[in-house]
Amino acid sequence: MAASFIRLNVLRRLSDQIWKGVNDKHVILWNKQLPCRPDICIQCRVLHLSFVWYKKRKTIEEKRNPKSLHYSPKSKAKDPIIDIWRNMTVAQVAKAMEKDIDHVFEVMMYIDNSLNYDKPSSVINNLTVIQDIVKKSGMKSRIVSPANMNEPEMINKDATKRPPPDPSVLVKRPPVVTVMGHIDHGKTTLLDSLRNTSVVETEFGGITQHIGAFSVKLQSGETVTFLDTPGHAAFTAMRARGARVTDLIVLVVAADDGVMEQTVESIRMAKEAEVPIIVAINKIDKQDADIERTKDMLVQHGVQVEDRGGDIQAVPVSALAGTNLETLTEAIALQAELMNLKGDPSGLVEGVVVESKTDPRRGKLSTAIVQRGTLQKGSVLVAGLAWAKVRAMFNEQGQSVQEAPPSTPVEVLGWRELPSAGDEIIEVENEKRAHEVMRWRESISKVEKQEAEREAVESKIQEHLKVYKEQLETRRKLGKFKLRPTGPREKEIKDDDQGPRVSVVIKGDVDGSVEAILDVLETYNCNTECKLNLVHYGVGNVSETDVELADAFKAIIYCFNVEVPDKVKEIAKISKISIRPHKVIYKLIDDLKKEISSQLPPKDVEEVLGEANVLQDFEITEGKKKVHVAGCRCTKGILRKSGKYRLQRGQEIIFDGLLESMRHLKNEVDSIKKDVECGLRLEDGTISFQPGDALICYEIKKEEQHTSWNPGF
């Protein structure tokens, strides 16, 4: 009884202390004084439960002053995401999950409607089964398109060039000679003299607007294929294509101008293509012609002519007078003989597209040079994303030809789509094979486009995550983990209609000319002044669709050496669409620059009218105020009362504003001429003057702005 009484008293005393707020020391006391177990003794169990409740409850002080506890975010292991698509095979599912086939079959034992898929090659036509397999394997699934997957089953059906031919089947072929040089150095005139035609008269302004390919039969009886590439700076890519398809380069340099910008560029491209060079020093009949200086300039740019210890032939000629043209042709024939040029006239055709255009009467045409095989009527060709069944072939004179052996330039008719200049031409067996090649190339193009878009999206996501993590870190430092939006959400597509804008539609006669114009537009770097928007570009005449596009975007149609049908002109007139035809690229770009400049707002220009020197400061009383008046003498120009004035003391500007009063003697005047004294009072009468101060009178005028865009010519 005594022991039970003592224990009961201890329970009561400890229970009272617990309900009053007992600390951790009582736990030790309780464990020492009460050796019994709470699950046996009912009193100890009650006390134990009371103490547990006490440990969990919060005091009033804790509720009033909660402690901010910082916990690091729990790192959850994310399940891998598996890409799946419809009609996957069992083997493909296993490969996507990086598991073996037995694992998939074992998982399928616990999935409904999966008994029929008992082979690795079985096609699972139920997408739910595929999702369940991935889910029961501890992974997440994501449905994608099979076209986005790099499946090993995809077979390369592209058309490629044939292996190098057997030397025994090779025959001699004419050389392909490219004429290069600076603008207006006489390249086209030289070709005109060689073939005794008037090519230069057909070129507008004497400027070659695109590549011309033709064959010339020399007096020696040999045939040479010439390429006339433009010398204009805008046609750099076209000259580069000419260098890639050529065997020999004739570099035309004017004896009066010497080596110029495009001359250096032509030398660089010839060296990159590892093509031999023959220098034709033209215009030797001019008074200021200096052949020796021209040779020295060529040596400075790495062209070692024979007179300067090199192995490059340099022939002085006059294309206009026909001087030394035979010597030049002999040099070309000699160089071609040394190169021992041969070609394979048998088998499937290989070539290159030199130029392409759309003829309103004949359709899509391309100028091509055959490099291997013999092109015949009915051949099926592929070039880039275009294919053709040759319906007809024409030479440079427009005459129909039946076949084209190696090194022959021909105009090919029969393209379904217009090929791009520089594309490789490969002949295939039939139209079915051509369709296979087109499908393969289109799929590859689509994959490349998707990859580029994916990289762009991932770049945007990384930028967003970077900003998000920075903001989240700032919030964590403030004791809050979740990032909440602070303000209205920004627009993903921002309005950029502010400021001037010029929209254009480009139509050209050939693909190379359009490409050259686009290259010039790529150099536009003045979007801060005026935005330049290219709405559409294409090859061929201006159509009604072009007018509709221009009307929708308020654009100007620039047509380069193409026709505008009367019906299209009427529609454009009704829609108030400006169609501006040009035949020289200089004038087209100048017209575009004027249009851009006309859209720029006028700028303020300061015009100084006169200048006065302060002689003395006068302080006068006007009412209850004291104001300062400057006694001045006009030292330059004229002072006008309506103008603005700048008070300058040394290098410091004290005042910039208007006048309150201008007097000569006691009379109020509107202007003061040079060497006349006057009194000037500023709007701010509290400003005092010092002898030696300068008062500059000026006006602000509106002046038209001109774009700072420099296309390079």
Side-chain angles (χ1 to χ4, degrees):
M1 289 295 294
S4 300
F5 179 76
I6 294 173
R7 179 175 297 175
L8 184 59
N9 288 337
V10 172
L11 287 172
R12 289 175 179 175
R13 186 168 61 252
L14 289 177
S15 179
D16 292 340
Q17 291 175 353
I18 287 173
W19 293 110
K20 291 180 182 179
V22 43
N23 53 31
D24 293 340
K25 293 182 180 179
H26 295 100
V27 179
I28 302 174
L29 177 65
W30 180 34
N31 290 334
K32 288 184 178 181
Q33 292 184 359
L34 301 176
C36 61
R37 293 165 53 189
D39 56 348
I40 298 176
C41 179
I42 186 62
Q43 293 89 350
C44 293
R45 182 171 178 80
V46 171
L47 184 60
H48 174 73
L49 294 175
S50 300
F51 187 74
V52 170
W53 174 86
Y54 159 73
K55 294 294 289 183
K56 290 183 178 180
R57 73 187 182 94
K58 289 185 178 180
T59 62
I60 298 176
E61 291 78 8
E62 288 177 341
K63 290 181 179 179
R64 289 178 179 177
N65 301 317
K67 295 181 180 180
S68 59
L69 301 177
H70 300 277
Y71 299 98
S72 59
K74 296 181 180 179
S75 59
K76 296 182 179 180
K78 296 183 179 180
D79 297 334
I81 300 177
I82 305 302
D83 292 339
I84 63 174
W85 58 94
R86 299 181 184 275
N87 298 326
M88 293 181 69
T89 63
V90 177
Q92 288 176 338
V93 175
K95 183 178 180 180
M97 296 190 303
E98 297 182 354
K99 300 287 186 179
D100 53 12
I101 299 293
D102 295 336
H103 170 82
V104 178
F105 284 135
E106 184 178 356
V107 173
M108 290 171 62
M109 295 172 61
Y110 304 95
I111 298 176
D112 297 334
N113 303 322
S114 62
L115 298 177
N116 297 329
Y117 314 126
D118 53 354
K119 297 180 181 180
S121 59
S122 299
V123 177
I124 307 176
N125 51 16
N126 190 344
L127 187 61
T128 305
V129 173
I130 303 176
Q131 293 175 330
D132 291 342
I133 293 173
V134 176
K135 184 177 180 180
K136 290 186 180 297
S137 300
M139 305 176 186
K140 295 182 179 179
S141 60
R142 177 177 58 188
I143 301 175
V144 298
S145 174
N148 296 336
M149 307 302 298
N150 295 325
E151 299 181 8
E153 290 80 6
M154 294 181 65
I155 302 175
N156 188 343
K157 296 184 179 180
D158 196 9
T160 57
K161 290 186 176 181
R162 293 179 288 158
D166 188 355
S168 60
V169 301
L170 298 180
V171 297
K172 187 177 180 180
R173 65 173 178 85
V176 179
V177 180
T178 301
V179 180
M180 288 186 171
H182 192 73
I183 180 174
D184 197 30
H185 275 198
K187 301 181 299 298
T188 308
T189 307
L190 177 62
L191 290 171
D192 180 47
S193 300
L194 288 174
R195 63 177 178 172
N196 297 321
T197 57
S198 300
V199 177
V200 73
E201 294 179 1
T202 64
E203 298 290 353
F204 300 99
I207 303 172
T208 303
Q209 305 293 335
H210 48 78
I211 292 179
F214 47 85
S215 296
V216 175
K217 192 170 184 178
L218 303 179
Q219 294 182 359
S220 60
E222 298 183 1
T223 302
V224 178
T225 298
F226 281 99
L227 294 180
D228 178 21
T229 60
H232 195 279
F235 298 88
T236 302
M238 297 170 67
R239 285 200 305 275
R241 281 196 296 272
R244 286 200 296 266
V245 301
T246 188
D247 301 316
L248 179 64
I249 288 179
V250 174
L251 182 65
V252 179
V253 185
D256 54 344
D257 291 339
V259 177
M260 303 296 285
E261 181 181 355
Q262 277 93 50
T263 311
V264 177
E265 186 180 345
S266 300
I267 294 172
R268 176 185 59 80
M269 287 189 294
K271 290 183 177 180
E272 290 178 356
E274 298 181 354
V275 179
I277 298 176
I278 293 178
V279 179
I281 303 177
N282 195 20
K283 301 183 181 181
I284 60 174
D285 51 347
K286 282 195 171 184
Q287 294 181 356
D288 52 351
D290 192 341
I291 299 176
E292 299 301 323
R293 181 180 67 90
T294 303
K295 292 181 179 179
D296 293 336
M297 295 177 69
L298 290 169
V299 172
Q300 294 175 3
H301 291 86
V303 179
Q304 298 287 338
V305 297
E306 293 177 340
D307 293 351
R308 299 297 186 270
D311 55 354
I312 297 177
Q313 301 181 70
V315 182
V317 298
S318 174
L320 194 60
T323 307
N324 292 336
L325 292 184
E326 294 183 3
T327 306
L328 179 61
T329 56
E330 291 176 0
I332 295 174
L334 176 61
Q335 185 66 40
E337 189 69 26
L338 294 175
M339 297 173 66
N340 193 22
L341 300 174
K342 292 185 178 182
D344 180 12
S346 60
L348 298 177
V349 172
E350 297 175 7
V352 63
V353 178
V354 178
E355 194 53 89
S356 59
K357 65 179 180 179
T358 300
D359 190 282
R361 290 169 291 273
R362 296 187 295 172
K364 299 178 176 62
L365 301 172
S366 70
T367 302
I369 290 184
V370 180
Q371 297 176 321
R372 188 177 180 183
T374 301
L375 183 60
Q376 297 178 348
K377 184 178 178 180
S379 300
V380 180
L381 309 177
V382 294
L385 296 178
W387 72 279
K389 184 175 183 180
V390 181
R391 292 189 294 166
M393 296 183 294
F394 307 93
N395 58 15
E396 67 276 3
Q397 299 175 358
Q399 300 173 350
S400 177
V401 294
Q402 299 301 320
E403 60 180 22
S407 299
T408 303
V410 288
E411 198 172 44
V412 179
L413 176 62
W415 292 96
R416 268 53 171 183
E417 297 293 336
L418 200 63
S420 299
D423 288 346
E424 291 184 345
I425 295 177
I426 298 177
E427 183 183 1
V428 294
E429 293 80 4
N430 47 46
E431 294 186 23
K432 180 180 178 181
R433 174 68 178 131
H435 288 302
E436 288 181 354
V437 175
M438 290 299 102
R439 284 194 296 268
W440 167 260
R441 293 185 178 182
E442 288 173 358
S443 64
I444 294 299
S445 177
K446 186 183 296 185
V447 170
E448 292 176 354
K449 182 180 179 181
Q450 291 174 349
E451 183 66 20
E453 292 176 351
R454 185 187 63 80
E455 292 178 357
V457 170
E458 289 183 354
S459 176
K460 284 289 185 182
I461 292 175
Q462 294 300 325
E463 292 178 5
H464 172 73
L465 289 177
K466 182 179 179 181
V467 175
Y468 174 79
K469 289 179 181 179
E470 292 176 356
Q471 295 177 351
L472 188 61
E473 185 65 25
T474 304
R475 299 281 293 182
R476 282 180 175 176
K477 291 180 180 179
L478 298 176
K480 299 180 180 180
F481 287 104
K482 188 175 181 181
L483 180 62
R484 296 179 180 178
T486 57
R489 181 179 178 182
E490 294 184 0
K491 293 183 179 180
E492 295 184 1
I493 302 177
K494 298 182 179 179
D495 298 332
D496 57 348
D497 293 335
Q498 305 297 331
R501 178 191 297 270
V502 173
S503 300
V504 295
V505 174
I506 304 295
K507 295 302 291 287
D509 57 343
V510 294
D511 182 73
S513 298
V514 175
E515 181 183 356
I517 296 174
L518 297 182
D519 289 341
V520 177
L521 298 184
E522 283 291 330
T523 64
Y524 185 77
N525 55 0
C526 303
N527 282 312
T528 55
E529 300 176 357
C530 177
K531 293 182 176 64
L532 180 60
N533 183 22
L534 178 63
V535 176
H536 173 67
Y537 64 89
V539 178
N541 293 340
V542 181
S543 62
E544 298 179 13
T545 306
D546 299 327
V547 177
E548 293 175 358
L549 281 173
D551 188 20
F553 290 91
K554 298 179 180 179
I556 302 171
I557 300 177
Y558 284 98
C559 47
F560 184 77
N561 198 18
V562 295
E563 299 177 357
V564 182
D566 295 336
K567 185 178 180 180
V568 175
K569 289 181 180 178
E570 293 177 1
I571 297 174
K573 186 177 180 180
I574 296 173
S575 303
K576 297 181 180 180
I577 299 300
S578 177
I579 300 179
R580 305 181 184 180
H582 291 278
K583 296 183 178 179
V584 178
I585 193 172
Y586 290 122
K587 297 180 180 179
L588 188 149
I589 299 302
D590 289 342
D591 189 297
L592 181 57
K593 290 175 66 176
K594 290 180 181 178
E595 181 64 29
I596 294 173
S597 299
S598 66
Q599 298 296 323
L600 300 179
K603 61 180 179 180
D604 295 335
V605 178
E606 179 181 306
E607 181 181 359
V608 177
L609 301 178
E611 187 174 338
N613 187 25
V614 177
L615 303 177
Q616 189 176 353
D617 179 31
F618 297 96
E619 188 178 56
I620 62 175
T621 302
E622 189 179 72
K624 295 182 179 181
K625 295 182 180 180
K626 291 185 178 181
V627 296
H628 294 267
V629 176
C632 308
R633 177 184 288 113
C634 181
T635 59
K636 185 185 300 184
I638 186 172
L639 305 179
R640 298 188 183 277
K641 184 179 179 180
S642 60
K644 289 188 174 182
Y645 285 81
R646 184 183 299 116
L647 176 61
Q648 190 168 340
R649 184 172 298 158
Q651 300 297 327
E652 182 182 1
I653 297 176
I654 307 299
F655 172 81
D656 194 346
L658 300 175
L659 282 185
E660 182 68 25
S661 175
M662 174 185 285
R663 293 194 177 188
H664 176 59
L665 300 179
K666 294 183 179 181
N667 301 323
E668 190 76 18
V669 294
D670 293 331
S671 62
I672 297 293
K673 295 181 180 180
K674 184 180 178 182
D675 297 332
V676 178
E677 295 183 355
C678 62
L680 300 179
R681 174 184 164 190
L682 305 177
E683 275 187 335
D684 188 356
T686 61
I687 296 177
S688 61
F689 302 91
Q690 293 182 6
D693 290 350
L695 275 168
I696 301 173
C697 177
Y698 66 94
E699 286 182 349
I700 301 297
K701 291 187 176 182
K702 297 292 185 180
E703 187 176 287
E704 293 183 357
Q705 289 195 66
H706 297 281
T707 178
S708 58
W709 174 34
N710 182 16
F713 53 86

